[in-house]
Amino acid sequence: MTHHTIHAIMRDLKQYEGSAVSLYAIGDRNRILQAQGILDGVYPDIFTVRVDNGSYQKRYCYTYSEILTQHVKIRPLEGSA
């Protein structure tokens, strides 16, 4: 069942590739990251979100299981897709 669920998450994210998204992630030591960025790439095992914060640009990489365990939440921003 998990295998199909991860594929469903990947399929859902694929439709927003290249679009603006809202990112919420619980990282190491329970640090919270809230940012807006571009869903940069959707790959077989991971997906990446590019965050441009004026003076710097950073790319975050996550697995689909992190969405499944609710450590990462991705939402499309209004007007994207």
Side-chain angles (χ1 to χ4, degrees):
M1 180 159 156
T2 304
H3 182 70
H4 296 295
T5 305
I6 287 176
H7 280 291
I9 292 169
M10 185 171 74
R11 185 182 61 241
D12 290 345
L13 285 180
K14 189 74 172 165
Q15 68 182 338
Y16 296 110
E17 190 171 14
S19 299
V21 294
S22 172
L23 170 67
Y24 174 87
I26 302 172
D28 294 336
R29 298 183 183 179
N30 290 326
R31 292 185 182 168
I32 305 285
L33 168 69
Q34 289 183 313
Q36 293 180 355
I38 303 294
L39 183 57
D40 200 32
V42 179
Y43 306 103
D45 295 323
I46 61 167
F47 64 95
T48 58
V49 177
R50 187 180 72 234
V51 175
D52 188 4
N53 195 1
S55 61
Y56 72 93
Q57 189 175 39
K58 186 160 183 166
R59 184 170 282 123
Y60 295 95
C61 175
Y62 299 102
T63 64
Y64 302 107
S65 62
E66 290 176 289
I67 290 179
L68 193 60
T69 59
Q70 297 183 2
H71 283 108
V72 173
K73 294 178 185 175
I74 297 282
R75 274 188 294 217
L77 293 177
E78 295 296 320
S80 29

